[in-house]
Amino acid sequence: AIRQQHYGFLFPSAALLPSLSVLENIAFSVLKAGVYDEKQQAALTLAALQFCALEKEAECLVAELSSERQAVTAFARAIAHRPLLLIAESPPEEKTLIPFAQRALEELGITVIWSTEMGNPATLVADHILTMDEGKLLA
């Protein structure tokens, strides 16, 4: 329950449900986080759609979207329930998602941990960079 309520996740594969629409994928994560009040579900889902500028694609099946828009949908799904922490493990379309991650930190107060390789776009905008080698923290 703590994981579902307080953490958001982005993985290398978007892990979206292809038979559901963008709206349904986002709403599903809100419900899974334990938000059972329908008005609150709708408000959080709509806010995530707007935050990620997905309103036009709301009724589209995610399987019909480009890989970039699927990545944005996955980001919206990860933040819809307003987690305290977003963990991004080498998400697809990294360059596209960085501005959303920066806004999530600034506007929503969501702490973002972004796992990537040195030299990738996220390392250029990070506040802090920690390096690991074979599971050991180096810096």
Side-chain angles (χ1 to χ4, degrees):
I2 290 173
R3 178 180 177 258
Q4 291 175 343
Q5 292 173 2
H6 300 294
Y7 301 102
F9 295 93
L10 277 174
F11 296 110
S13 68
L16 298 167
L17 300 169
S19 62
L20 298 181
S21 70
V22 168
L23 178 75
E24 291 167 329
N25 266 278
I26 296 169
F28 179 74
S29 74
V30 172
L31 180 63
K32 192 171 179 181
V35 179
Y36 300 115
D37 178 83
E38 289 182 15
K39 287 183 181 179
Q40 190 178 8
Q41 286 175 0
L44 289 169
T45 302
L46 179 60
L49 276 170
Q50 292 171 337
F51 185 88
C52 292
L54 288 165
E55 300 98 304
K56 291 180 182 176
E57 293 108 327
E59 298 302 321
C60 294
L61 294 177
V62 294
E64 299 170 351
L65 299 177
S66 68
S67 61
E68 182 177 283
R69 297 310 282 166
Q70 286 183 11
V72 173
T73 300
F75 186 90
R77 183 192 58 198
I79 64 152
H81 63 289
R82 301 290 170 91
L84 300 174
L85 177 67
L86 172 64
I87 300 171
E89 181 189 341
S90 302
E93 308 292 340
E94 181 173 313
K95 192 172 185 177
T96 299
L97 297 179
I98 291 169
F100 292 110
Q102 290 174 308
R103 282 186 50 225
L105 172 63
E106 294 165 4
E107 297 174 23
L108 305 176
I110 298 172
T111 299
V112 180
I113 296 175
W114 198 285
S115 171
T116 192
E117 293 182 18
M118 287 303 293
N120 281 357
T123 62
L124 303 175
V125 298
D127 290 334
H128 304 285
I129 297 176
L130 302 174
T131 305
M132 293 186 78
D133 184 30
E134 296 184 20
K136 295 180 182 169
L137 193 59
L138 302 178

